[in-house]
Amino acid sequence: SLEEAPNHPHNAARETYVELAGVRQPAPAPRFSRTPGEIRRPPAEIGAHSREILEQFGFTPARIDALIDSGAVKQASEAQT
């Protein structure tokens, strides 16, 4: 399962998963010896970019507000973003 995968001996030995800001996630891939990948920041909070993404897809501010108000879309509070 996804919960068990990071603890599997094979994955642990290969350091397939990393933890950043308390979130366990797959390590960057592919791995190159001269230019190793790195995770530069923790994952975004749920809803942190909802409004921005919907605007990029052409949704109007009124439609975005309606989606958030109805609960169809999660938007993080302005203080968190």
Side-chain angles (χ1 to χ4, degrees), residues 8-49:
H8 187 279
H10 177 80
N11 292 333
R14 294 181 51 91
E15 298 178 345
T16 304
Y17 292 85
V18 296
E19 188 169 318
L20 180 66
V23 178
R24 187 175 283 182
Q25 54 195 311
R31 295 182 189 182
F32 300 111
S33 59
R34 293 191 340 215
T35 55
E38 67 177 293
I39 298 175
R40 297 182 183 176
R41 62 178 182 251
E45 295 291 325
I46 293 173
H49 305 290

Side-chain angles (χ1 to χ4, degrees), residues 37-76:
E38 67 177 293
I39 298 175
R40 297 182 183 176
R41 62 178 182 251
E45 295 291 325
I46 293 173
H49 305 290
S50 298
R51 187 174 296 279
E52 176 184 352
I53 292 167
L54 290 172
E55 287 172 354
Q56 289 176 0
F57 277 101
F59 285 78
T60 64
R63 182 67 180 134
I64 295 169
D65 289 339
L67 290 167
I68 292 169
D69 291 343
S70 73
V73 171
K74 171 77 171 147
Q75 173 63 41

